[in-house]
Amino acid sequence: FLFIFVENSLLMLAKVMSAAVSGIDALPVTVEAASSSGWSFSMVGLPDTAVKESYERIRTAMEQAGVEFPRTSTVVNLSPADLKKEGASFDLPIAIGVLVASKKIQPTVSTERFMMVGELSLDGTLLPVRGVLPMAILARKMGLDGLIVPSVNATEAAVVNNLNVYGAASLLDVINFLCGVQAIVPTVVNTREEFARADSFFDCDFSEVRGQENVKRAFEVACAGGHNILMIGPPGAGKSMMAKRVPTIMPPLSLAEALETTKIHSVAGRLKGGSKLMTSRPFRSPHHTISSVALVGGGSNPMPGEISLAHNGVLFLDEFPEFTRQVLEVLRQPLEDRHISISRAKYSIDYPASFMLVASMNPCPCGYYNHPTKTCTCGAGVVQKYLNRISGPLLDRIDIQIEILPVAFNELSSLKKGESSADIRRRVVAAREIQTRRYADEPGVYCNAQMNKRLMEKYAVLDGACMSLLSKAMDRFDMSARCYDRILKVSRTIADLEGCDEISPVHVSEALSYRNLDRSSWGATVQKMPF
């Protein structure tokens, strides 16, 4: 302890390490508690309301632990003072700091060498907090002796190797541990072993999808190259059913991707109690009434949005045109840059947002434009107006646009199962491995969808036959110029799936079939009602 004599009174100071979450990372916070003669309690260091209210929780929790709240003049400082402190995770370090400064307890270890986080209930129980994983990463980086967390958060924090993680159930357990009265066995999780042993289990499979072979092939191409995909078709055609099965054919998470994904969900408080490392790619499906802040993140207390929760996974937007124009337009920047920068008057935060966009929509308000058996009831110009809800710049960022039609009865009633997700996934993984080797020297590029103009000129070169085919197709279907680059990228992915070094006319032809909305005939006319 530090002893400072001021006006003949003994001032005792204690320090405890803690952390605050900023974005998806943690920043160190030193909790300083000073105790002197008198009777008062004050807290400084830019605490929010939840932190200020910790006094009542701490006082009652101490009484339940059999320790009297010190009858002294106590000042608690949360350093650095210019960083806003939010949430109840500072309850535990503040309580320990106050007890040590007032000499209510005599620790046998230095509290400055331990990082502590945890919310205190009135009975002294430690409640879980969010953001424990980035805090554990920070504690290891700082070289601390250990991290003390609520027992519910212990396995989450123990994902970080080479760090002693102590899970405590109550304030009394922490006091006894620091004073050497009772030992707490560190929680150990062998991250690499757990990750290698993890077998991603899915409760759905592409073999359950009857028919729709061309759409399943489009999903295979999309997953192989990391391409965004839009399905357009009538209700009941199976759009949502197939979208939910996309994670089953995506390449497995790497260990680095799993750690990053787990960290985002930890900050957002989305990990269930006792969770370890996330081994399956996330699948997020927000409702079309979502706000732009909920989608991209931010708020008064900054939190990751749906696009960040879908990082390294799938963001499924059903009923695509029903989302408000403002919500859809905020997708443009993260789709291009694969991260989102949120700047407000009081903070500026970057969240990762490298996701695969899967969207679905009806072709018109009634849903039956171009339906083989049902007649569209929409008036003239309504179809085009409905499609115009999706702006050209946003549509430009969706590589694959495929029309989906209802499945015939004989295919629905067939007992023959389709190709399994495992079989499709093997081809996808093989194609991704080709791309990994190809872009090994290109930082930030991992798949064909991320190619820029320079890389396309190097790896997506078309010969004379391919150029002739593409030119004729674009003239015949009156395709827009913006789809040219998309066709090249998708053609490169199709060639990778076939194991071909060069792009052939067959690959370009298939890529052209995935640009339905670029054709001038789409929405130009509507079917007439029979009278």
Side-chain angles (χ1 to χ4, degrees), residues 256-319:
E257 287 177 327
L259 284 169
E260 187 177 29
T261 305
T262 306
K263 186 164 71 169
I264 296 171
H265 285 251
S266 172
V267 169
R270 299 302 181 103
L271 294 180
K272 298 179 181 179
S275 295
K276 296 180 183 178
L277 199 64
M278 292 183 63
T279 57
S280 299
R281 292 189 180 272
F283 180 88
R284 306 296 302 179
S285 179
H287 193 260
H288 63 259
T289 56
I290 190 174
S291 67
S292 57
V293 174
L295 185 67
V296 302
S300 55
N301 295 325
M303 294 282 285
E306 289 292 333
I307 63 173
S308 295
L309 293 174
H311 181 64
N312 292 325
V314 176
L315 177 67
F316 176 47
L317 300 183
D318 198 8
E319 304 296 342

Short mmCIF file of all heavy atoms in Angstrom, two decimals, residues 256-319:
data_model
loop_
_atom_site.label_atom_id
_atom_site.label_comp_id
_atom_site.label_asym_id
_atom_site.label_seq_id
_atom_site.Cartn_x
_atom_site.Cartn_y
_atom_site.Cartn_z
N ALA A 256 -8.39 -18.48 -36.11
CA ALA A 256 -8.37 -17.03 -36.00
C ALA A 256 -9.75 -16.44 -36.20
O ALA A 256 -10.17 -15.52 -35.48
CB ALA A 256 -7.38 -16.44 -37.01
N GLU A 257 -10.51 -16.96 -37.18
CA GLU A 257 -11.87 -16.48 -37.42
C GLU A 257 -12.78 -16.80 -36.24
O GLU A 257 -13.63 -15.99 -35.85
CB GLU A 257 -12.43 -17.11 -38.69
CG GLU A 257 -11.83 -16.59 -39.98
CD GLU A 257 -12.38 -17.32 -41.20
OE1 GLU A 257 -12.68 -18.53 -41.08
OE2 GLU A 257 -12.49 -16.69 -42.26
N ALA A 258 -12.61 -17.99 -35.65
CA ALA A 258 -13.43 -18.38 -34.51
C ALA A 258 -13.19 -17.46 -33.31
O ALA A 258 -14.14 -17.05 -32.63
CB ALA A 258 -13.14 -19.83 -34.13
N LEU A 259 -11.92 -17.12 -33.04
CA LEU A 259 -11.61 -16.21 -31.94
C LEU A 259 -12.21 -14.83 -32.18
O LEU A 259 -12.79 -14.22 -31.26
CB LEU A 259 -10.09 -16.11 -31.75
CG LEU A 259 -9.41 -17.30 -31.07
CD1 LEU A 259 -7.90 -17.19 -31.20
CD2 LEU A 259 -9.81 -17.38 -29.60
N GLU A 260 -12.07 -14.33 -33.40
CA GLU A 260 -12.60 -13.00 -33.71
C GLU A 260 -14.12 -12.98 -33.62
O GLU A 260 -14.71 -12.04 -33.08
CB GLU A 260 -12.15 -12.58 -35.10
CG GLU A 260 -12.49 -11.15 -35.46
CD GLU A 260 -11.98 -10.75 -36.82
OE1 GLU A 260 -11.85 -11.64 -37.69
OE2 GLU A 260 -11.69 -9.56 -37.03
N THR A 261 -14.77 -14.01 -34.13
CA THR A 261 -16.22 -14.10 -34.06
C THR A 261 -16.71 -14.20 -32.63
O THR A 261 -17.68 -13.54 -32.23
CB THR A 261 -16.72 -15.31 -34.87
OG1 THR A 261 -16.22 -15.23 -36.21
CG2 THR A 261 -18.23 -15.36 -34.90
N THR A 262 -16.03 -15.02 -31.84
CA THR A 262 -16.40 -15.18 -30.43
C THR A 262 -16.24 -13.86 -29.67
O THR A 262 -17.07 -13.52 -28.81
CB THR A 262 -15.55 -16.27 -29.76
OG1 THR A 262 -15.64 -17.47 -30.52
CG2 THR A 262 -16.03 -16.55 -28.34
N LYS A 263 -15.20 -13.10 -30.01
CA LYS A 263 -14.97 -11.82 -29.33
C LYS A 263 -16.11 -10.84 -29.59
O LYS A 263 -16.56 -10.14 -28.67
CB LYS A 263 -13.63 -11.24 -29.78
CG LYS A 263 -13.24 -9.98 -29.03
CD LYS A 263 -11.77 -9.66 -29.21
CE LYS A 263 -11.45 -9.18 -30.59
NZ LYS A 263 -10.09 -8.60 -30.69
N ILE A 264 -16.59 -10.80 -30.82
CA ILE A 264 -17.70 -9.89 -31.15
C ILE A 264 -18.95 -10.27 -30.37
O ILE A 264 -19.63 -9.41 -29.79
CB ILE A 264 -17.97 -9.92 -32.67
CG1 ILE A 264 -16.78 -9.40 -33.44
CG2 ILE A 264 -19.22 -9.12 -33.00
CD1 ILE A 264 -16.89 -9.58 -34.94
N HIS A 265 -19.26 -11.56 -30.33
CA HIS A 265 -20.46 -12.00 -29.62
C HIS A 265 -20.29 -11.85 -28.10
O HIS A 265 -21.28 -11.66 -27.39
CB HIS A 265 -20.79 -13.45 -29.98
CG HIS A 265 -21.38 -13.59 -31.35
ND1 HIS A 265 -22.69 -13.92 -31.57
CD2 HIS A 265 -20.84 -13.42 -32.59
CE1 HIS A 265 -22.94 -13.96 -32.87
NE2 HIS A 265 -21.83 -13.67 -33.51
N SER A 266 -19.06 -11.91 -27.62
CA SER A 266 -18.82 -11.67 -26.21
C SER A 266 -19.09 -10.21 -25.85
O SER A 266 -19.73 -9.92 -24.83
CB SER A 266 -17.36 -12.03 -25.86
OG SER A 266 -17.03 -11.65 -24.55
N VAL A 267 -18.62 -9.30 -26.69
CA VAL A 267 -18.85 -7.87 -26.45
C VAL A 267 -20.34 -7.55 -26.48
O VAL A 267 -20.84 -6.74 -25.70
CB VAL A 267 -18.09 -7.03 -27.49
CG1 VAL A 267 -18.51 -5.58 -27.43
CG2 VAL A 267 -16.59 -7.16 -27.28
N ALA A 268 -21.06 -8.22 -27.39
CA ALA A 268 -22.50 -7.98 -27.52
C ALA A 268 -23.31 -8.70 -26.44
O ALA A 268 -24.53 -8.51 -26.37
CB ALA A 268 -22.98 -8.41 -28.90
N GLY A 269 -22.67 -9.53 -25.62
CA GLY A 269 -23.38 -10.27 -24.59
C GLY A 269 -24.25 -11.38 -25.14
O GLY A 269 -25.24 -11.76 -24.51
N ARG A 270 -23.88 -11.92 -26.32
CA ARG A 270 -24.70 -12.95 -26.97
C ARG A 270 -24.23 -14.36 -26.66
O ARG A 270 -24.85 -15.32 -27.13
CB ARG A 270 -24.69 -12.74 -28.48
CG ARG A 270 -25.26 -11.40 -28.94
CD ARG A 270 -26.69 -11.21 -28.49
NE ARG A 270 -27.25 -9.96 -28.93
CZ ARG A 270 -28.10 -9.83 -29.95
NH1 ARG A 270 -28.46 -10.90 -30.63
NH2 ARG A 270 -28.58 -8.66 -30.27
N LEU A 271 -23.14 -14.53 -25.92
CA LEU A 271 -22.68 -15.86 -25.58
C LEU A 271 -23.47 -16.40 -24.39
O LEU A 271 -23.66 -15.71 -23.39
CB LEU A 271 -21.18 -15.85 -25.24
CG LEU A 271 -20.22 -15.51 -26.38
CD1 LEU A 271 -18.79 -15.54 -25.87
CD2 LEU A 271 -20.38 -16.49 -27.54
N LYS A 272 -23.91 -17.63 -24.51
CA LYS A 272 -24.64 -18.24 -23.41
C LYS A 272 -23.68 -18.63 -22.29
O LYS A 272 -22.49 -18.79 -22.50
CB LYS A 272 -25.40 -19.47 -23.91
CG LYS A 272 -26.45 -19.16 -24.97
CD LYS A 272 -27.15 -20.42 -25.45
CE LYS A 272 -28.17 -20.11 -26.53
NZ LYS A 272 -28.84 -21.34 -27.03
N GLY A 273 -24.22 -18.76 -21.09
CA GLY A 273 -23.40 -19.10 -19.95
C GLY A 273 -22.65 -20.41 -20.15
O GLY A 273 -23.21 -21.41 -20.58
N GLY A 274 -21.35 -20.38 -19.86
CA GLY A 274 -20.53 -21.56 -20.03
C GLY A 274 -20.03 -21.78 -21.44
O GLY A 274 -19.43 -22.81 -21.73
N SER A 275 -20.28 -20.81 -22.34
CA SER A 275 -19.86 -20.97 -23.72
C SER A 275 -18.35 -20.92 -23.84
O SER A 275 -17.67 -20.24 -23.08
CB SER A 275 -20.49 -19.87 -24.59
OG SER A 275 -21.88 -20.00 -24.63
N LYS A 276 -17.85 -21.62 -24.83
CA LYS A 276 -16.43 -21.59 -25.12
C LYS A 276 -16.22 -20.90 -26.45
O LYS A 276 -16.71 -19.81 -26.68
CB LYS A 276 -15.87 -23.01 -25.12
CG LYS A 276 -15.97 -23.71 -23.76
CD LYS A 276 -15.41 -25.12 -23.82
CE LYS A 276 -15.58 -25.84 -22.47
NZ LYS A 276 -15.10 -27.23 -22.54
N LEU A 277 -15.52 -21.55 -27.35
CA LEU A 277 -15.22 -20.96 -28.64
C LEU A 277 -16.34 -21.26 -29.63
O LEU A 277 -16.86 -22.36 -29.67
CB LEU A 277 -13.90 -21.55 -29.15
CG LEU A 277 -13.16 -20.81 -30.24
CD1 LEU A 277 -12.69 -19.46 -29.76
CD2 LEU A 277 -11.98 -21.65 -30.73
N MET A 278 -16.72 -20.25 -30.40
CA MET A 278 -17.72 -20.46 -31.45
C MET A 278 -17.06 -21.21 -32.60
O MET A 278 -16.04 -20.78 -33.13
CB MET A 278 -18.28 -19.12 -31.94
CG MET A 278 -19.13 -18.39 -30.93
SD MET A 278 -19.82 -16.85 -31.60
CE MET A 278 -20.86 -17.46 -32.93
N THR A 279 -17.64 -22.32 -33.00
CA THR A 279 -17.06 -23.15 -34.06
C THR A 279 -17.93 -23.19 -35.32
O THR A 279 -17.51 -23.76 -36.32
CB THR A 279 -16.84 -24.59 -33.56
OG1 THR A 279 -18.09 -25.12 -33.08
CG2 THR A 279 -15.82 -24.61 -32.42
N SER A 280 -19.10 -22.61 -35.27
CA SER A 280 -19.99 -22.56 -36.44
C SER A 280 -20.13 -21.12 -36.91
O SER A 280 -20.15 -20.19 -36.10
CB SER A 280 -21.37 -23.12 -36.10
OG SER A 280 -21.28 -24.47 -35.70
N ARG A 281 -20.24 -20.95 -38.21
CA ARG A 281 -20.39 -19.60 -38.74
C ARG A 281 -21.74 -19.03 -38.34
O ARG A 281 -22.76 -19.71 -38.41
CB ARG A 281 -20.27 -19.63 -40.27
CG ARG A 281 -18.86 -19.98 -40.74
CD ARG A 281 -18.68 -19.78 -42.23
NE ARG A 281 -17.32 -20.13 -42.64
CZ ARG A 281 -16.29 -19.29 -42.64
NH1 ARG A 281 -16.49 -18.03 -42.26
NH2 ARG A 281 -15.09 -19.67 -43.01
N PRO A 282 -21.77 -17.77 -37.90
CA PRO A 282 -23.05 -17.18 -37.46
C PRO A 282 -24.02 -16.99 -38.61
O PRO A 282 -23.61 -16.79 -39.77
CB PRO A 282 -22.62 -15.83 -36.87
CG PRO A 282 -21.30 -15.53 -37.49
CD PRO A 282 -20.64 -16.85 -37.74
N PHE A 283 -25.30 -17.06 -38.29
CA PHE A 283 -26.37 -16.82 -39.25
C PHE A 283 -27.33 -15.84 -38.60
O PHE A 283 -27.97 -16.15 -37.61
CB PHE A 283 -27.08 -18.13 -39.61
CG PHE A 283 -28.22 -17.95 -40.59
CD1 PHE A 283 -27.97 -17.99 -41.95
CD2 PHE A 283 -29.52 -17.76 -40.15
CE1 PHE A 283 -29.02 -17.83 -42.86
CE2 PHE A 283 -30.56 -17.61 -41.04
CZ PHE A 283 -30.31 -17.64 -42.40
N ARG A 284 -27.39 -14.64 -39.14
CA ARG A 284 -28.25 -13.59 -38.58
C ARG A 284 -29.36 -13.27 -39.58
O ARG A 284 -29.12 -13.13 -40.78
CB ARG A 284 -27.44 -12.32 -38.31
CG ARG A 284 -26.23 -12.53 -37.43
CD ARG A 284 -26.57 -13.00 -36.03
NE ARG A 284 -27.44 -12.05 -35.34
CZ ARG A 284 -27.90 -12.24 -34.11
NH1 ARG A 284 -27.57 -13.36 -33.45
NH2 ARG A 284 -28.68 -11.35 -33.54
N SER A 285 -30.58 -13.19 -39.08
CA SER A 285 -31.74 -12.94 -39.93
C SER A 285 -32.65 -11.90 -39.28
O SER A 285 -33.68 -12.23 -38.70
CB SER A 285 -32.51 -14.25 -40.17
OG SER A 285 -33.65 -14.04 -40.97
N PRO A 286 -32.28 -10.61 -39.35
CA PRO A 286 -33.11 -9.57 -38.73
C PRO A 286 -34.42 -9.35 -39.49
O PRO A 286 -34.49 -9.58 -40.71
CB PRO A 286 -32.21 -8.33 -38.80
CG PRO A 286 -31.32 -8.57 -39.97
CD PRO A 286 -31.08 -10.05 -39.99
N HIS A 287 -35.44 -8.89 -38.78
CA HIS A 287 -36.73 -8.58 -39.39
C HIS A 287 -36.62 -7.29 -40.20
O HIS A 287 -35.76 -6.44 -39.93
CB HIS A 287 -37.80 -8.44 -38.30
CG HIS A 287 -39.20 -8.43 -38.81
ND1 HIS A 287 -39.92 -7.26 -38.99
CD2 HIS A 287 -40.01 -9.44 -39.21
CE1 HIS A 287 -41.12 -7.56 -39.46
NE2 HIS A 287 -41.21 -8.87 -39.60
N HIS A 288 -37.51 -7.14 -41.19
CA HIS A 288 -37.39 -5.97 -42.06
C HIS A 288 -37.77 -4.66 -41.37
O HIS A 288 -37.57 -3.58 -41.94
CB HIS A 288 -38.25 -6.16 -43.33
CG HIS A 288 -39.72 -6.28 -43.06
ND1 HIS A 288 -40.38 -7.49 -43.04
CD2 HIS A 288 -40.66 -5.34 -42.81
CE1 HIS A 288 -41.66 -7.28 -42.80
NE2 HIS A 288 -41.85 -5.99 -42.66
N THR A 289 -38.27 -4.71 -40.14
CA THR A 289 -38.56 -3.48 -39.40
C THR A 289 -37.35 -2.97 -38.61
O THR A 289 -37.47 -2.00 -37.86
CB THR A 289 -39.72 -3.73 -38.41
OG1 THR A 289 -39.38 -4.83 -37.54
CG2 THR A 289 -41.01 -4.05 -39.15
N ILE A 290 -36.19 -3.59 -38.78
CA ILE A 290 -35.00 -3.21 -38.03
C ILE A 290 -34.59 -1.78 -38.36
O ILE A 290 -34.79 -1.29 -39.48
CB ILE A 290 -33.84 -4.20 -38.34
CG1 ILE A 290 -32.65 -3.98 -37.40
CG2 ILE A 290 -33.42 -4.09 -39.80
CD1 ILE A 290 -31.56 -5.02 -37.57
N SER A 291 -34.01 -1.09 -37.38
CA SER A 291 -33.52 0.26 -37.61
C SER A 291 -32.10 0.21 -38.14
O SER A 291 -31.41 -0.80 -38.03
CB SER A 291 -33.56 1.07 -36.31
OG SER A 291 -32.63 0.55 -35.37
N SER A 292 -31.65 1.33 -38.69
CA SER A 292 -30.29 1.39 -39.24
C SER A 292 -29.25 1.24 -38.14
O SER A 292 -28.20 0.63 -38.35
CB SER A 292 -30.08 2.70 -40.00
OG SER A 292 -30.33 3.82 -39.17
N VAL A 293 -29.51 1.77 -36.93
CA VAL A 293 -28.57 1.64 -35.82
C VAL A 293 -28.46 0.19 -35.37
O VAL A 293 -27.37 -0.31 -35.10
CB VAL A 293 -28.99 2.55 -34.65
CG1 VAL A 293 -28.10 2.30 -33.43
CG2 VAL A 293 -28.92 4.01 -35.05
N ALA A 294 -29.59 -0.51 -35.31
CA ALA A 294 -29.56 -1.92 -34.92
C ALA A 294 -28.84 -2.77 -35.96
O ALA A 294 -28.23 -3.78 -35.63
CB ALA A 294 -30.97 -2.44 -34.70
N LEU A 295 -28.87 -2.33 -37.21
CA LEU A 295 -28.23 -3.11 -38.27
C LEU A 295 -26.72 -2.90 -38.28
O LEU A 295 -25.95 -3.87 -38.34
CB LEU A 295 -28.81 -2.73 -39.62
CG LEU A 295 -28.32 -3.54 -40.82
CD1 LEU A 295 -28.79 -4.99 -40.72
CD2 LEU A 295 -28.80 -2.94 -42.13
N VAL A 296 -26.26 -1.65 -38.20
CA VAL A 296 -24.82 -1.37 -38.31
C VAL A 296 -24.13 -1.24 -36.97
O VAL A 296 -22.90 -1.33 -36.88
CB VAL A 296 -24.57 -0.10 -39.15
CG1 VAL A 296 -25.16 -0.24 -40.52
CG2 VAL A 296 -25.11 1.14 -38.45
N GLY A 297 -24.89 -1.02 -35.88
CA GLY A 297 -24.29 -0.87 -34.56
C GLY A 297 -24.27 0.58 -34.12
O GLY A 297 -24.66 1.49 -34.84
N GLY A 298 -23.81 0.78 -32.88
CA GLY A 298 -23.76 2.12 -32.31
C GLY A 298 -24.75 2.24 -31.17
O GLY A 298 -24.95 1.31 -30.40
N GLY A 299 -25.38 3.40 -31.05
CA GLY A 299 -26.30 3.66 -29.96
C GLY A 299 -25.65 4.47 -28.86
O GLY A 299 -24.45 4.78 -28.89
N SER A 300 -26.43 4.84 -27.84
CA SER A 300 -25.89 5.62 -26.73
C SER A 300 -24.83 4.83 -25.97
O SER A 300 -23.81 5.38 -25.55
CB SER A 300 -27.03 6.03 -25.78
OG SER A 300 -27.75 4.89 -25.34
N ASN A 301 -25.07 3.54 -25.79
CA ASN A 301 -24.04 2.62 -25.30
C ASN A 301 -23.63 1.74 -26.48
O ASN A 301 -24.33 0.80 -26.82
CB ASN A 301 -24.58 1.74 -24.16
CG ASN A 301 -24.93 2.55 -22.93
OD1 ASN A 301 -24.27 3.53 -22.60
ND2 ASN A 301 -25.99 2.15 -22.24
N PRO A 302 -22.51 2.05 -27.14
CA PRO A 302 -22.16 1.40 -28.41
C PRO A 302 -22.14 -0.12 -28.31
O PRO A 302 -21.54 -0.70 -27.41
CB PRO A 302 -20.76 1.95 -28.72
CG PRO A 302 -20.66 3.22 -27.95
CD PRO A 302 -21.48 3.02 -26.72
N MET A 303 -22.84 -0.74 -29.26
CA MET A 303 -22.90 -2.19 -29.34
C MET A 303 -22.77 -2.61 -30.80
O MET A 303 -23.17 -1.88 -31.71
CB MET A 303 -24.23 -2.70 -28.78
CG MET A 303 -24.41 -2.46 -27.30
SD MET A 303 -23.51 -3.66 -26.32
CE MET A 303 -24.54 -5.10 -26.52
N PRO A 304 -22.21 -3.78 -31.07
CA PRO A 304 -22.15 -4.27 -32.46
C PRO A 304 -23.55 -4.49 -33.02
O PRO A 304 -24.45 -4.93 -32.31
CB PRO A 304 -21.39 -5.59 -32.34
CG PRO A 304 -20.68 -5.53 -31.04
CD PRO A 304 -21.53 -4.70 -30.14
N GLY A 305 -23.73 -4.18 -34.30
CA GLY A 305 -25.00 -4.39 -34.96
C GLY A 305 -25.08 -5.76 -35.61
O GLY A 305 -24.18 -6.59 -35.48
N GLU A 306 -26.16 -5.99 -36.34
CA GLU A 306 -26.38 -7.29 -36.96
C GLU A 306 -25.31 -7.62 -37.99
O GLU A 306 -24.92 -8.78 -38.13
CB GLU A 306 -27.77 -7.33 -37.63
CG GLU A 306 -28.93 -7.38 -36.65
CD GLU A 306 -28.98 -8.70 -35.89
OE1 GLU A 306 -28.51 -9.71 -36.43
OE2 GLU A 306 -29.50 -8.71 -34.76
N ILE A 307 -24.79 -6.61 -38.70
CA ILE A 307 -23.78 -6.90 -39.71
C ILE A 307 -22.47 -7.34 -39.06
O ILE A 307 -21.70 -8.10 -39.67
CB ILE A 307 -23.54 -5.69 -40.64
CG1 ILE A 307 -23.01 -4.49 -39.85
CG2 ILE A 307 -24.80 -5.33 -41.40
CD1 ILE A 307 -22.61 -3.32 -40.74
N SER A 308 -22.19 -6.88 -37.84
CA SER A 308 -20.99 -7.32 -37.14
C SER A 308 -21.21 -8.66 -36.47
O SER A 308 -20.30 -9.48 -36.38
CB SER A 308 -20.57 -6.28 -36.10
OG SER A 308 -20.19 -5.07 -36.74
N LEU A 309 -22.42 -8.91 -35.99
CA LEU A 309 -22.74 -10.23 -35.42
C LEU A 309 -22.71 -11.30 -36.51
O LEU A 309 -22.52 -12.49 -36.21
CB LEU A 309 -24.12 -10.20 -34.75
CG LEU A 309 -24.23 -9.32 -33.49
CD1 LEU A 309 -25.67 -9.26 -33.02
CD2 LEU A 309 -23.33 -9.84 -32.38
N ALA A 310 -22.89 -10.89 -37.76
CA ALA A 310 -22.80 -11.83 -38.88
C ALA A 310 -21.39 -11.93 -39.44
O ALA A 310 -21.18 -12.60 -40.46
CB ALA A 310 -23.76 -11.42 -39.99
N HIS A 311 -20.43 -11.29 -38.82
CA HIS A 311 -19.04 -11.31 -39.28
C HIS A 311 -18.55 -12.75 -39.41
O HIS A 311 -18.74 -13.57 -38.51
CB HIS A 311 -18.17 -10.54 -38.29
CG HIS A 311 -16.71 -10.47 -38.67
ND1 HIS A 311 -16.27 -9.84 -39.80
CD2 HIS A 311 -15.62 -10.96 -38.05
CE1 HIS A 311 -14.95 -9.93 -39.87
NE2 HIS A 311 -14.54 -10.61 -38.82
N ASN A 312 -17.92 -13.06 -40.53
CA ASN A 312 -17.45 -14.41 -40.87
C ASN A 312 -18.59 -15.41 -41.07
O ASN A 312 -18.37 -16.62 -41.05
CB ASN A 312 -16.49 -14.95 -39.79
CG ASN A 312 -15.18 -14.20 -39.76
OD1 ASN A 312 -14.67 -13.78 -40.79
ND2 ASN A 312 -14.62 -14.01 -38.57
N GLY A 313 -19.80 -14.88 -41.25
CA GLY A 313 -20.94 -15.76 -41.45
C GLY A 313 -21.90 -15.20 -42.48
O GLY A 313 -21.49 -14.61 -43.47
N VAL A 314 -23.19 -15.37 -42.22
CA VAL A 314 -24.24 -15.03 -43.19
C VAL A 314 -25.19 -14.01 -42.59
O VAL A 314 -25.63 -14.14 -41.45
CB VAL A 314 -25.04 -16.29 -43.62
CG1 VAL A 314 -26.18 -15.92 -44.54
CG2 VAL A 314 -24.11 -17.30 -44.28
N LEU A 315 -25.50 -12.97 -43.38
CA LEU A 315 -26.56 -12.02 -43.04
C LEU A 315 -27.70 -12.26 -44.03
O LEU A 315 -27.56 -12.00 -45.23
CB LEU A 315 -26.06 -10.58 -43.13
CG LEU A 315 -27.12 -9.50 -42.85
CD1 LEU A 315 -27.56 -9.55 -41.39
CD2 LEU A 315 -26.60 -8.12 -43.22
N PHE A 316 -28.82 -12.76 -43.53
CA PHE A 316 -29.97 -13.08 -44.38
C PHE A 316 -31.03 -12.00 -44.22
O PHE A 316 -31.55 -11.78 -43.13
CB PHE A 316 -30.53 -14.46 -44.01
CG PHE A 316 -31.78 -14.82 -44.77
CD1 PHE A 316 -31.86 -14.65 -46.14
CD2 PHE A 316 -32.88 -15.34 -44.12
CE1 PHE A 316 -33.00 -14.97 -46.85
CE2 PHE A 316 -34.03 -15.69 -44.80
CZ PHE A 316 -34.08 -15.50 -46.17
N LEU A 317 -31.34 -11.33 -45.32
CA LEU A 317 -32.37 -10.30 -45.33
C LEU A 317 -33.54 -10.80 -46.16
O LEU A 317 -33.51 -10.77 -47.39
CB LEU A 317 -31.82 -8.99 -45.91
CG LEU A 317 -30.62 -8.37 -45.17
CD1 LEU A 317 -30.23 -7.04 -45.80
CD2 LEU A 317 -30.93 -8.19 -43.69
N ASP A 318 -34.56 -11.28 -45.48
CA ASP A 318 -35.76 -11.77 -46.14
C ASP A 318 -36.67 -10.58 -46.44
O ASP A 318 -36.67 -9.59 -45.72
CB ASP A 318 -36.48 -12.78 -45.24
CG ASP A 318 -37.46 -13.64 -46.00
OD1 ASP A 318 -37.47 -13.56 -47.24
OD2 ASP A 318 -38.21 -14.39 -45.36
N GLU A 319 -37.48 -10.70 -47.49
CA GLU A 319 -38.34 -9.60 -47.94
C GLU A 319 -37.50 -8.34 -48.15
O GLU A 319 -37.75 -7.28 -47.56
CB GLU A 319 -39.47 -9.36 -46.93
CG GLU A 319 -40.33 -10.56 -46.64
CD GLU A 319 -41.10 -11.06 -47.87
OE1 GLU A 319 -41.23 -10.28 -48.82
OE2 GLU A 319 -41.52 -12.22 -47.86
#
